[in-house]
């Protein structure tokens, strides 16, 4: 695995959503901060409900926007020990990464599907494609150094200025340690990919 020494195996699974979305920002958009929403959900006995039920309750009973309903639900589940950072509501472990690359969407996605191009930035990995929509998205089984290591979902979006937004999710990981490892791994590899695709062509 080609992870830089600064990140190899030493990172955490990431920050809790309560660290990413401040209490003040949440209060401004929803009328309550984290502690207030946690109290509301405790009074509703939210620990006895599923992720979907909690998010639906916040939308229908409290008029919360869908994105904030999901965010508060995740924050509550993390705070009450119902899930860890990097863990989905179903218990699966995942991490994600994104980059904006100064290259066409078709070429950015081809960096995953073309073995020769992929070898320039992801040399020890193998992909078995499941779905592929050129210049749009793909899903694939991921093998790291020959060992099956979860599944990738990659989406590219062409931007008006000619650049491409790349989003990658690495799902079905083994646990928190794998989440931390691959969070660092993809940060490093996507930086290499970005530099590779943005190299000036021959004059």
């Amino acid at each position: 695995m080609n992870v830089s020494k600064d990140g190899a195996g030493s990172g955490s699974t990431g920050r809790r959503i309560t660290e990413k979305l401040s209490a003040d920002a949440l209060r401004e958009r929803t009328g309550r901060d984290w502690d207030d929403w946690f109290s509301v959900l405790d009074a509703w006995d939210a620990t006895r409900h599923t992720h979907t039920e909690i998010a639906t309750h916040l939308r229908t009973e409290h008029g919360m926007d869908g994105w904030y309903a999901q965010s508060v639900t995740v924050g509550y589940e993390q705070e009450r020990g119902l899930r860890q950072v990097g863990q989905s509501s179903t218990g699966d472990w995942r991490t994600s990464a994104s980059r904006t690359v100064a290259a066409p969407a078709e070429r950015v996605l081809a960096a995953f599907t073309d073995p020769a191009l992929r070898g320039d930035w992801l040399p020890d990995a193998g992909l078995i494609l499941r779905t592929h929509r050129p210049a749009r998205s793909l899903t694939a089984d991921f093998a790291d150094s020959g060992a099956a290591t979860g599944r990738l979902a990659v989406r590219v979006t062409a931007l008006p200025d000619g650049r491409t937004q790349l989003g990658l999710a690495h799902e079905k990981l083994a646990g928190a340690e794998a989440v931390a490892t691959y969070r660092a791994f993809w940060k490093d590899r996507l930086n290499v990919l970005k530099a590779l695709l943005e190299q000036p062509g021959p004059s």
Side-chain angles (χ1 to χ4, degrees), residues 134-158:
R136 297 183 67 182
S137 66
L138 66 82
T139 60
D141 293 328
F142 180 72
D144 187 4
S145 302
T149 318
R151 184 173 299 168
L152 296 184
V154 180
R155 180 176 295 276
V156 293
T157 303

Side-chain angles (χ1 to χ4, degrees), residues 62-158:
H62 297 279
M64 192 180 290
D65 174 80
W67 186 89
Y68 284 95
Q70 290 292 331
S71 298
V72 169
T73 300
V74 171
Y76 181 81
E77 290 171 331
Q78 290 175 349
E79 185 70 17
R80 295 296 181 258
L82 303 177
R83 75 157 90 182
Q84 297 183 49
V85 177
Q87 192 174 29
S88 74
S89 59
T90 61
D92 292 333
W93 293 91
R94 69 190 300 277
T95 189
S96 61
S98 63
R99 289 292 181 279
T100 300
V101 184
E106 184 174 4
R107 180 159 173 76
V108 175
L109 200 62
F112 291 85
T113 60
D114 181 333
L117 182 55
R118 188 171 68 237
D120 290 336
W121 70 280
L122 201 62
D124 298 325
L127 299 183
I128 300 175
L129 285 179
R130 286 177 164 268
T131 64
H132 178 210
R133 296 191 297 169
R136 297 183 67 182
S137 66
L138 66 82
T139 60
D141 293 328
F142 180 72
D144 187 4
S145 302
T149 318
R151 184 173 299 168
L152 296 184
V154 180
R155 180 176 295 276
V156 293
T157 303

Side-chain angles (χ1 to χ4, degrees), residues 3 8 12 21 29 40 46 49-50 67 69 108-109 113 125 129 147 192 202:
V3 184
S12 71
L21 176 59
R29 296 305 299 269
V40 167
H49 294 269
T50 67
W67 186 89
V108 175
L109 200 62
T113 60
L129 285 179
V192 174

